[in-house]
Amino acid sequence: MLERSIGFTEKLKSWLSWSWTYICAVWFAMVLTMIYVLRSPLKLQDTLTSASVFLNTLTPKFYVALTGTSSLISGLILIFEWWYFRKYGTSFIEQVSVSHLRPLLGGVESSTTTGLFSSVNGEAEPRPSVSECKVWRNPLNLFRGAEYSRYTWVTGKEPLTYYDMNLSAQDHQTFFTGDTQQLKPEDTVMQKAWRERNPQARIRAAYQFRLRIASVFLVVFRCAAAYVLLAEEEATTITEAERLFKQALRSGKREQTGKDINLLVYIKRRLAMCARKLGRIKEAVKMMRDLMKEFPLLGMLNIHENLLEALLELQAYADVQAVLAKYDDISLPKSATICYTSALLKARAVSEKFSPEAASRRGLSTAEMNAVEAIHRAVEFNPHVPKYLLEMKSLILPPEHILKRGDSEAVAYAFFHLQHWKRAEGALNLLHCTWEGTFRIIPYPLEKGHLFYPYPGCTETADRELLPSFHEVSVYPKKELPFFILFTAGLCSFTAMLAMLTHQFPELMGVFAKAFFSTLFAPLGFFADKMESFMPSSFWHQLTRI
């Protein structure tokens, strides 16, 4: 019974929403009819006559001022709409209309509905909404003191946003200082250090904590967290950062329980990254393999992406394929590194002899078709990457956190893997010839995907928070200009043209205006004459008396 009553209520609401438009139209027609019937008691004819006399006495300067003011106001609205669209990606007028007017007209908020999308086999499945825009830690994030800070010293620009650094502080507090219910005094000091927004304040807090530990002749595990902060923030070279991480590792080996394992994994991973940056690539690969073997359950840290990059630098393509065979699985989450590395290996096998002219004459071979399909798959997962690999867009330093399928992930991938694509002869040429063909495969509008879930619509907002303001965020799909921007642009141009023509040719524009309005109101006059001839005069007389 309850389900039936709910279904009846929903049907009633939908019927009312459907009939609202027609009810408004009937009401508007009734209002027009009543105004026409009551035109004599209301003296509408005399009012219109006096209004026309008043308008005829106005000089052309008035019309110039009127059209000029209209052009100015519509121009200001256009400027504001354009600024709002560039900053927030939507029209202000449309947003206000949807937020405030649509509920009054019986509309339903799209955010309250549970969307369904069609999978590749056509079955309806629930579309994930929360996990689509989850922010992930960048597996290859740079060192703040040795890399990010040097960029700031040279350019004067901040490569990291406060939002990105705040997420890193939360990660460090969660991974390195244990549970908040069982905080020790030293944990409180380190949590305060991670929360400091000023790098110098964080470094001072780490030094105070280390001196405090040394003053009581204790070398406990928590001192490792202070070494980690100093290695990340204070070290100005990779060599110095490696030395501090080794001290942190020596301090951290005393305990390996609970949250302490996270810190150990972090330290070993950063040591492997230091070895990779210092050219000891084979040593870095061994450390990463040992780390993945020792802690197999920490796959969420994506250490295999570090391993893939190091193996590509060694040009150990067979080992890269072995890693991909394990992690490029349908049941595992994908990333740009996984998809584009797979495409690189397949493209490398055919790119050296690939020619677009020859392929168009003889068709694609099986290996070339596999390479093209792999590129299409990678581009569908993250369509922002090719512009960075083809150097159609300038690169910046990658953020500490990325959004999968977003521009931040594309920046992070291209920053480290562009050299590997350049090393494979002809790979970038094959990518250049085939990547745009992906968009002919993906359905438009993007209500369903081809190989992956539909592209999420929240990536632009999240990427603007993660990437610095001087970087132009790549947006997919390209948003069309809202209707109200086009409308206000047309209105501004039209009224400005009217103002100029009225100022230059006042008499001619007056004749044109009279002819225009007489033509505009001719159908209304024709309709009124037909109404009077159709209805008897006594009927209208009785209605006016009522």
Side-chain angles (χ1 to χ4, degrees):
M1 290 295 294
L2 180 61
E3 293 180 357
R4 290 182 179 179
S5 61
I6 293 175
F8 175 76
T9 305
E10 293 297 330
K11 288 182 179 179
L12 181 62
K13 287 182 179 179
S14 62
W15 183 83
L16 289 175
S17 301
W18 173 78
S19 62
W20 182 260
T21 305
Y22 301 97
I23 293 174
C24 290
V26 172
W27 176 82
F28 185 68
M30 291 176 62
V31 169
L32 290 179
T33 305
M34 292 301 297
I35 291 175
Y36 176 76
V37 169
L38 299 176
R39 67 187 187 282
S40 297
L42 296 176
K43 299 180 179 180
L44 295 179
Q45 190 68 31
D46 298 338
T47 305
L48 291 175
T49 303
S50 60
S52 62
V53 171
F54 172 74
L55 292 175
N56 288 330
T57 58
L58 294 175
T59 62
K61 292 183 178 180
F62 170 80
Y63 294 104
V64 173
L66 178 64
T67 52
T69 306
S70 301
S71 177
L72 176 63
I73 294 174
S74 57
L76 293 176
I77 296 174
L78 172 63
I79 293 172
F80 175 76
E81 278 281 300
W82 177 257
W83 169 83
Y84 195 87
F85 174 73
R86 294 286 294 177
K87 186 173 180 62
Y88 299 105
T90 184
S91 167
F92 175 77
I93 299 176
E94 289 182 5
Q95 187 177 18
V96 171
S97 302
V98 171
S99 302
H100 300 285
L101 299 181
R102 188 177 178 185
L104 297 177
L105 298 177
V108 182
E109 293 294 334
S110 60
S111 60
T112 59
T113 60
T114 303
L116 294 177
F117 68 94
S118 299
S119 60
V120 177
N121 57 9
E123 298 178 356
E125 300 177 359
R127 177 177 178 175
S129 57
V130 178
S131 61
E132 281 180 339
C133 293
K134 178 182 177 182
V135 176
W136 299 75
R137 181 83 176 178
N138 183 5
L140 298 167
N141 65 306
L142 305 178
F143 294 86
R144 285 193 187 176
E147 292 172 307
Y148 288 121
S149 295
R150 291 174 63 185
Y151 177 84
T152 304
W153 297 338
V154 173
T155 64
K157 298 178 180 178
E158 289 291 342
L160 298 176
T161 63
Y162 282 118
Y163 175 71
D164 193 12
M165 291 190 289
N166 185 49
L167 290 176
S168 298
Q170 294 176 13
D171 293 343
H172 295 153
Q173 292 177 60
T174 303
F175 289 158
F176 303 160
T177 56
D179 298 324
T180 54
Q181 293 84 358
Q182 302 176 353
L183 280 182
K184 300 178 182 179
E186 56 269 20
D187 291 333
T188 306
V189 175
M190 287 309 301
Q191 278 207 341
K192 182 181 178 181
W194 289 118
R195 283 196 297 265
E196 292 287 350
R197 298 184 72 174
N198 188 352
Q200 297 303 321
R202 290 194 292 270
I203 294 172
R204 283 196 300 270
Y207 270 117
Q208 291 173 3
F209 172 66
R210 200 173 66 170
L211 291 174
R212 179 178 174 182
I213 295 297
S215 64
V216 293
F217 302 103
L218 292 175
V219 183
V220 297
F221 179 82
R222 301 299 171 185
C223 189
Y227 280 119
V228 168
L229 191 148
L230 293 175
E232 294 284 355
E233 302 278 352
E234 189 187 33
T236 56
T237 62
I238 301 298
T239 304
E240 187 178 355
E242 184 182 35
R243 178 181 61 80
L244 290 169
F245 274 120
K246 287 181 178 180
Q247 292 183 4
L249 183 62
R250 286 194 293 270
S251 299
K253 283 184 177 179
R254 295 179 178 270
E255 284 190 50
Q256 295 189 23
T257 59
K259 295 280 183 177
D260 303 335
I261 294 180
N262 293 328
L263 184 54
L264 276 177
V265 173
Y266 183 87
I267 294 171
K268 291 182 178 181
R269 179 184 194 166
R270 294 304 259 179
L271 282 172
M273 293 176 69
C274 288
R276 161 68 182 90
K277 292 176 184 293
L278 294 173
R280 305 195 307 271
I281 305 174
K282 291 184 179 180
E283 178 185 346
V285 168
K286 182 179 182 306
M287 294 172 68
M288 293 173 191
R289 290 188 185 277
D290 293 342
L291 195 57
M292 294 168 63
K293 190 178 299 183
E294 186 178 359
F295 303 101
L297 299 179
L298 294 178
M300 60 181 179
L301 298 177
N302 297 324
I303 304 175
H304 60 275
E305 296 194 9
N306 300 83
L307 179 61
L308 283 173
E309 197 279 327
L311 290 174
L312 285 172
E313 181 64 21
L314 288 176
Q315 302 185 39
Y317 296 111
D319 293 336
V320 173
Q321 186 61 55
V323 176
L324 287 177
K326 181 178 180 181
Y327 290 96
D328 192 6
D329 187 82
I330 192 171
S331 61
L332 297 176
K334 298 294 181 292
S335 66
T337 302
I338 293 291
C339 295
Y340 277 90
T341 302
S342 176
L344 173 61
L345 291 188
K346 293 181 179 179
R348 175 181 165 273
V350 298
S351 60
E352 188 174 353
K353 298 180 180 179
F354 177 78
S355 171
E357 294 80 10
S360 62
R361 288 195 306 268
R362 59 174 171 77
L364 295 175
S365 64
T366 303
E368 290 173 340
M369 185 65 71
N370 292 334
V372 171
E373 289 177 355
I375 290 175
H376 287 174
R377 170 178 177 260
V379 174
E380 182 183 353
F381 182 82
N382 194 317
H384 310 284
V385 173
K387 288 189 176 181
Y388 294 107
L389 293 180
L390 298 173
E391 299 182 89
M392 301 165 63
K393 198 172 180 186
S394 59
L395 272 173
I396 60 171
L397 294 186
E400 293 184 337
H401 290 80
I402 59 173
L403 179 67
K404 288 191 175 182
R405 308 187 74 178
D407 191 34
S408 53
E409 184 190 34
V411 169
Y413 172 80
F415 184 86
F416 293 100
H417 289 262
L418 176 58
Q419 55 181 335
H420 307 315
W421 280 82
K422 287 184 175 181
R423 189 179 293 122
E425 185 177 353
L428 288 176
N429 178 46
L430 180 60
L431 177 68
H432 175 72
C433 296
T434 57
W435 75 278
E436 291 182 334
T438 309
F439 306 114
R440 293 192 291 269
I441 301 174
I442 302 174
Y444 187 85
L446 303 175
E447 296 174 352
K448 62 179 182 178
H450 179 60
L451 296 175
F452 298 100
Y453 290 133
Y455 193 80
C458 56
T459 56
E460 180 184 359
T461 304
D463 280 331
R464 291 187 188 278
E465 295 287 338
L466 290 171
L467 297 170
S469 57
F470 58 83
H471 174 71
E472 184 181 355
V473 176
S474 177
V475 179
Y476 176 80
K478 276 292 183 183
K479 294 186 176 180
E480 299 179 357
L481 286 177
F483 165 76
F484 283 103
I485 289 184
L486 301 175
F487 175 76
T488 51
L491 181 63
C492 177
S493 304
F494 179 70
T495 51
M497 183 182 65
L498 284 181
M500 183 183 65
L501 291 176
T502 307
H503 178 70
Q504 294 291 332
F505 313 102
E507 295 181 0
L508 183 61
M509 289 301 294
V511 173
F512 174 77
K514 289 179 181 179
F516 174 76
F517 284 110
S518 61
T519 306
L520 181 64
F521 290 109
L524 294 178
F526 176 78
F527 177 74
D529 294 339
K530 288 295 182 180
M531 287 287 291
E532 289 181 354
S533 63
F534 180 74
M535 293 291 183
S537 58
S538 59
F539 176 75
W540 296 115
H541 180 68
Q542 294 297 328
L543 283 178
T544 54
R545 291 183 60 184
I546 293 175

